[in-house]
Amino acid sequence: MPFWAELVSRELAPLTLSSANATVGFRAWASVLDLDSVRVAAFSSPPAHLRRTWADVRRADPGTYQLTFVSGSPLWISQRRQDSGLVLGDMVLFDVSHPFEGAVPDEGRNTQVVIMQLLREELPLPPNKVHRLLAQPLSTRSGMGAILARFMTTLDAYGPDCNPPDLSRLGAMALDLAGACLAQHLDAYDDLPAETRRQAMLARANAFIDHNLGDPDLGPADIAAHHHISVRSLHALFQQQGETVAASIRRRRLERCRADLTDPRMRRRSISAIAARWGFLRPADFSRAFRAAYGVTPRELRQAAPRSLPDAQRASLSDK
């Protein structure tokens, strides 16, 4: 337990951490990903109580907001006379330049949090507005909250595989998404810089595409109309990705098909059914596009794929 308290204090900010589990086995893990101006830390630990005082702030003040996505067991945070209540499946924001208190109730399982650490001077919103959101539950059920939560959890899973230039780009993207998410909750979208608004709109368009890949009629006009922008503006957004809207849709559909064709659990589903599932209604068109992208036909890929799940994955599924 002392080691864990020291680790949390080092990676977030000095604070006091205590737990009733400290003497009966305290199993926890942590990971930290550095994205230049943004850091993302993931923690899993038993129920605990944490407290940061003015004395702790004087010891060290990194000048960051901590935007926290909570899963596993609920978490509550109290700061500046505001109380989040129990937060689970959503986010909560706190400021390490001010005292705060928080706890995880004992529900028999670990809490898991992914924390995005944002430098106050880098966030494109005035502090007096951001402070309204401290210790308040921030929904991740839709809109920018859902996009940001998915981005944060994906970073924790796949970020360590990225090279330094990619990590720097992800840091800039994280800052834009966090700013857009907080601005949405504040109804202060117009306060954001133009580039942040563009990046947020691009993220929303990409999320919409991913959610609707199975619609064979999905195209630029539908995407633009859903986001209340012109088709021309949509094409301009995608120029930043170096890929047209149509090419992006086709690539993602092919990626989903490729994943299904190599998945042993999808063995009984026909190739044409898999293609139709992801918006390819004409098998011949799908086969040509697939071969052009991957150098093999869908049938050849399926025949070369493993016919059964790895033992570890099969055991994991049987436990559910």
Side-chain angles (χ1 to χ4, degrees):
M1 179 65 185
F3 171 78
W4 180 251
E6 181 183 344
L7 184 148
V8 173
S9 292
R10 183 175 71 245
E11 298 300 337
L12 295 184
L15 51 79
T16 300
L17 194 150
S18 58
S19 172
N21 298 58
T23 60
V24 294
F26 193 89
R27 295 174 177 263
W29 60 260
S31 65
V32 179
L33 186 65
D34 196 339
L35 308 174
D36 287 344
S37 60
V38 175
R39 295 174 81 240
V40 178
F43 297 94
S44 175
S45 64
H49 180 272
L50 57 153
R51 182 182 182 90
R52 180 164 162 84
T53 66
W54 279 118
D56 293 324
V57 173
R58 287 190 291 271
R59 281 173 56 203
D61 180 8
T64 59
Y65 294 115
Q66 313 280 337
L67 185 58
T68 305
F69 175 70
V70 186
S71 61
S73 288
L75 166 75
W76 69 262
I77 290 287
S78 177
Q79 187 172 49
R80 291 174 67 99
R81 299 182 181 179
Q82 298 179 157
D83 194 303
S84 68
L86 292 178
V87 176
L88 180 63
D90 289 321
M91 294 184 292
V92 64
L93 181 73
F94 56 100
D95 182 354
V96 297
S97 295
H98 293 268
F100 64 83
E101 185 175 7
V104 177
D106 191 348
E107 296 191 352
R109 61 185 185 274
N110 280 15
T111 190
Q112 297 178 18
V113 296
V114 180
I115 303 177
M116 184 178 290
Q117 303 174 36
L118 306 159
L119 288 169
R120 277 199 308 277
E121 64 264 25
E122 297 284 344
L123 194 67
L125 288 167
N128 63 319
K129 288 189 175 182
V130 176
H131 284 173
R132 288 188 241 151
L133 298 178
L134 296 178
Q136 298 296 301
L138 305 174
S139 175
T140 65
R141 314 297 169 170
S142 61
M144 291 306 304
I147 293 171
L148 180 58
R150 183 175 179 183
F151 178 80
M152 290 168 67
T153 53
T154 301
L155 275 178
D156 175 53
Y158 301 110
D161 298 329
C162 296
N163 59 38
D166 286 339
L167 290 175
S168 181
R169 284 190 287 270
L170 286 171
M173 188 183 303
L175 198 58
D176 286 335
L177 292 178
C181 176
L182 297 178
Q184 186 178 66
H185 282 91
L186 288 166
D187 195 22
Y189 206 69
D190 290 341
D191 289 352
L192 296 173
E195 180 58 27
T196 298
R197 294 198 300 270
R198 280 195 295 271
Q199 291 297 332
M201 180 61 73
L202 181 59
R204 289 174 57 198
N206 278 320
F208 181 80
I209 290 171
D210 286 337
H211 188 69
N212 292 278
L213 281 175
D215 179 0
D217 296 323
L218 179 66
D222 304 294
I223 301 165
H226 180 82
H227 294 93
H228 309 291
I229 60 175
S230 68
V231 173
R232 181 178 179 181
S233 296
L234 180 69
H235 285 307
L237 279 176
F238 272 74
Q239 284 180 355
Q240 300 178 35
Q241 296 189 154
E243 189 176 46
T244 66
V245 180
S248 181
I249 294 171
R250 182 172 60 253
R251 172 182 55 78
R252 295 183 215 195
R253 283 175 170 162
L254 289 170
E255 288 171 352
R256 302 303 195 282
C257 290
R258 186 175 188 271
D260 283 356
L261 288 167
T262 57
D263 187 344
R265 292 167 295 189
M266 303 289 285
R267 271 280 168 186
R268 294 186 178 182
R269 183 167 292 192
S270 69
I271 292 175
S272 60
I274 287 175
R277 181 188 184 199
W278 298 112
F280 291 104
L281 299 186
R282 297 181 179 179
D285 292 344
F286 167 63
S287 186
R288 281 194 298 270
F290 193 92
R291 184 163 192 165
Y294 300 114
V296 295
T297 67
R299 188 174 304 279
E300 289 168 342
L301 179 72
R302 170 170 268 186
Q303 289 173 345
R307 290 181 173 271
S308 62
L309 291 168
D311 290 343
Q313 189 174 358
R314 189 163 54 244
S316 174
L317 288 171
S318 68
D319 291 340
K320 294 180 179 180

